[in-house]
Amino acid sequence: TSTWLVFLLLAALPASADQDDKFSSEQERNIVIVSIFFSAISFCGSSFIVFMYMRHPSLRSFVFQLVVWISASDMLFSVGNAIGNPADESPACYTQAIFVQFFGLSSMLWTAAIAYTVDAVYLKGRSLDDALDLKKRFHLAIWGFSALFTILPATTDNYGQSTGWCWISVENNAESGTAWRFVCFYIPLWMVATYNICVYARVRSALNEAIEAGAANVENIKHLQRMVYYPLVLVGCYFFGTVSRIQQIVGPPIYGLVILHTIGMSSQGTCNALVYGLTPSVKQKICGDSAKMLEDEPSIDEDMARGGRLVEIGLDQIERKSPTAVERTDI
């Protein structure tokens, strides 16, 4: 009910102006070049994550499994972007629109799965076994939700040309097209982004408490903090896209803003690969120092299995090991 209410409210807004104000052929060509270039780099970055996961069994921790599913979604999202700017209502256009919507949404939701895992296991003290039980639910919810929100715009024939590429169009049915853009993508995007930021803030707070208390496991908490960077990548990559789509409700698209939008949405796989490559266990594998990694670097799952609430790490020591406090100094 709430989804349809939001849809009706957004449909009542003024129609997006990009159906009447086209870019020049040179500007559209530049958008396509930028999209293909950054999508190719993103595809390579996502492929690197999948390759490392398949090549090194020691990197197949539960959280890294979630990262791989982000990367798989990013790879297919990049394939959709690389189609370019096909003719409206062509099979290539519909294919690109569906790929961009479905895999863009699923990539976003997998970042929420990582944030939820960090929050549930590290911050709320749930066991790793509980988190592993969530794997099937993650798949059902993420792929099901992505499929549903990909089908909805098709019910009003709103897939087509959308300012430099094919996605949810406002050409034929501007009101519903504008509404679907936000109901099926941007509102879920910023709900997920807000949740991701909240989890990151809680991890930062736990880290600061542990440092102030002189806890012995600060490095493990920093290791956890790096895992929250994956959800934060989402915020940076879609900031300009959100601004651009809101701006298009009230006026014609701005060329420079659309270019920034294109760069951001085409770079999520690249940014995730950078975060992944800077993870100590991955760096050691890349450098060939696998023996040292196995001896010195606990996997994320091992950290979880030994964990408890991170917020209690600092509190336990602040309370000077009072009888009611349970000391937890390893993660």
Side-chain angles (χ1 to χ4, degrees):
T1 303
S2 59
T3 299
W4 288 109
L5 178 61
V6 173
F7 173 82
L8 293 173
L9 290 174
L10 289 169
L13 293 172
S16 175
D18 63 358
Q19 70 269 27
D20 297 321
D21 300 86
K22 300 291 186 179
F23 290 132
S24 67
S25 57
E26 181 179 358
Q27 289 175 322
E28 289 189 349
R29 183 170 61 252
N30 291 339
I31 293 172
V32 171
I33 291 171
V34 168
S35 178
I36 293 176
F37 176 77
F38 283 95
S39 294
I41 298 175
S42 185
F43 182 89
C44 293
S46 299
S47 300
F48 164 73
I49 294 176
V50 175
F51 169 78
M52 291 295 290
Y53 177 85
M54 296 177 66
R55 176 69 177 82
H56 300 288
S58 59
L59 296 179
R60 297 174 189 172
S61 67
F62 176 63
V63 176
F64 276 162
Q65 290 178 38
L66 303 182
V67 174
V68 166
W69 283 112
I70 294 178
S71 300
S73 296
D74 287 340
M75 288 172 66
L76 292 170
F77 181 81
S78 298
V79 169
N81 280 338
I83 294 175
N85 189 19
D88 196 21
E89 298 185 356
S90 66
C93 184
Y94 288 125
T95 300
Q96 182 182 56
I98 290 171
F99 267 55
V100 168
Q101 172 63 15
F102 183 87
F103 292 109
L105 192 59
S106 64
S107 175
M108 169 209 314
L109 295 175
W110 280 114
T111 70
I114 290 180
Y116 181 84
T117 301
V118 170
D119 183 46
V121 177
Y122 282 98
L123 298 176
K124 294 182 179 177
R126 294 181 62 177
S127 70
L128 180 59
D129 289 338
D130 290 340
L132 293 174
D133 289 341
L134 291 172
K135 187 187 302 184
K136 184 179 294 186
R137 296 181 184 180
F138 281 156
H139 281 285
L140 289 174
I142 290 172
W143 301 124
F145 189 86
S146 298
L148 174 63
F149 275 42
T150 299
I151 292 170
L152 287 177
T155 62
T156 51
D157 194 26
N158 275 116
Y159 281 127
Q161 276 290 331
S162 177
T163 316
W165 58 88
C166 290
W167 183 51
I168 300 174
S169 174
V170 293
E171 291 281 345
N172 299 322
N173 193 338
E175 290 79 11
S176 63
T178 300
W180 287 135
R181 285 180 175 182
F182 287 91
V183 169
C184 293
F185 195 84
Y186 284 102
I187 290 177
L189 166 69
W190 286 103
M191 289 175 65
V192 168
T194 300
Y195 175 70
N196 292 348
I197 291 172
C198 289
V199 172
Y200 176 78
R202 293 183 64 192
V203 172
R204 285 290 302 175
S205 176
L207 176 60
N208 292 336
E209 288 181 355
I211 291 174
E212 291 175 4
N217 57 347
V218 170
E219 287 304 315
N220 284 334
I221 307 175
K222 289 181 178 179
H223 185 52
L224 164 66
Q225 184 182 10
R226 283 190 288 269
M227 297 311 302
V228 187
Y229 289 160
Y230 294 102
L232 290 184
V233 164
L234 179 76
V235 178
C237 287
Y238 280 101
F239 174 77
F240 289 109
T242 303
V243 174
S244 179
R245 292 306 184 188
I246 293 174
Q247 180 272 321
Q248 288 174 37
I249 294 177
V250 297
I254 299 172
Y255 175 65
L257 195 55
V258 172
I259 289 290
L260 292 174
H261 176 186
T262 305
I263 293 172
M265 77 171 194
S266 302
S267 299
Q268 188 170 353
T270 304
C271 296
N272 285 333
L274 291 173
V275 175
Y276 182 81
L278 292 174
T279 303
S281 56
V282 176
K283 286 195 295 184
Q284 289 169 350
K285 279 297 185 185
I286 294 173
C287 296
D289 192 11
S290 58
K292 184 176 186 303
M293 183 198 72
L294 292 174
E295 294 175 3
D296 300 336
E297 180 69 22
S299 71
I300 295 172
D301 281 355
E302 289 172 343
D303 286 345
M304 285 184 171
R306 292 199 299 264
R309 291 190 176 185
L310 285 184
V311 292
E312 292 181 1
I313 296 167
L315 293 178
D316 287 342
Q317 298 194 18
I318 290 172
E319 293 172 2
R320 300 183 181 276
K321 302 180 183 179
S322 65
T324 57
V326 179
E327 182 179 8
R328 286 171 180 169
T329 56
D330 60 339
I331 298 300

